Amino acid sequence: MNPMISGWIDALELSDSLSHVVGKVVNHHRISTDDALLLYREADPGLLGVLASLVCQKKNDDKVFYIRNFHIEPTNICIHHCAFCSYSSRHTGHAWDYSVQEMLGQVRELAPNIRELHIVGGVHPGRDVTHYAGLLREIKQLRPDLYLKAFSAIELDYMIKTAGMDYRRGLELLRSSGLDGIPGGGAEIFDESLRKQICPDKTSSADWLLIHRTAHQLGIPTNATILYGHLETYAHRVDHLNRLRELQDETHGFSTFIPLKYRKMNNPMGEIGEVGVTEDMKNYAVSRIFLDNFPHIKAYWPMLGKEMAALSLSFGVDDLDGTIQDSTKIYSLAGSEEQHPAMTAEEMEALITAAGKMPVERDGWYHPA
């Protein structure tokens, strides 16, 4: 470690317990759940930023990854009743339900340099896995070069069960139809009692983890998320992170972890407000430190905003998602500063460079493009 940083940490006059945890991180030893709780409760943001940056530097040097991507959101009609949702047609008063041909029309209009197509939406009561398998096949026929990252575990749970299949068979069908990876949505918060309060009829934590475990066993990489800044405590966050770390120890199938901030607009939980930027950065940093077996931590800039996404690069983040091209409504409907999220590759690289990092354009497997 840089002697200047070491001296700065020594001068902080930390408690013995916090100093012990800092020593673990500096020496690249795994921290415990109790250690993570201590970091959340006692470590100041500056210290967390330094520690998370040390972990990030060891994993990825100064590289920050991004991709040229586009979102298709097939529908906002949804069977679930999540209290934090601003996206469902029952909250917006406006429903959409794109046909396969309409979605293929969007694919035909994509620029040749788009590398990844991200497909997520509501859980439509009338769509099973065979419908979506057909969509993937037709997209691959049009653009075999696209990395298809599609369908959260919540969508997968319903579409596969509706077709009378188990998770393995349903995922095998989707993989054979062109599915390359699975996004991390729907994890929300794993604590079962809290989940009953904020998303009572949603796929269980156990089934979310089982779907991702099964995907990993089939060689399908996935992402993971947490929804933070609502009713959860630090203990809830650490429990969530620990369940992910344990599954990653078993399967090594997660590509990146994405903390997702609760936004208050247009949903029943709005009166609780939102956490501030200090809490955002603390969450990125502790996530980077604790999830020592995750290769990447992503700041989803349409949720966070460009300026705060740039700041997150000093708190353990090494992935800024992609160019998006104003193709997602999920966070704009919830009140994000980015109402029309779009960045060119040049803007993305300038943002990363201004933060003192090295931009790396990637493909869906995190290979340099």
Side-chain angles (χ1 to χ4, degrees), residues 110-128:
L110 294 178
N113 60 6
I114 296 295
R115 301 182 184 278
E116 177 185 278
L117 185 59
H118 181 113
I119 307 174
V120 294
V123 180
H124 192 293
R127 305 280 185 264
D128 71 8

Side-chain angles (χ1 to χ4, degrees), residues 3-14:
M4 184 177 298
I5 294 176
S6 178
W8 177 77
I9 291 175
D10 290 341
L12 291 177
E13 299 183 355
L14 305 175

Side-chain angles (χ1 to χ4, degrees), residues 7 26 28 32 77 95 119 165 167 174 177 234 264 324 332 348:
V26 168
H28 303 291
S32 68
I77 298 170
I119 307 174
M165 300 181 187
Y167 293 148
L174 291 169
S177 301
Y234 288 146
K264 67 181 182 180
I324 307 292
S332 58
M348 187 76 74

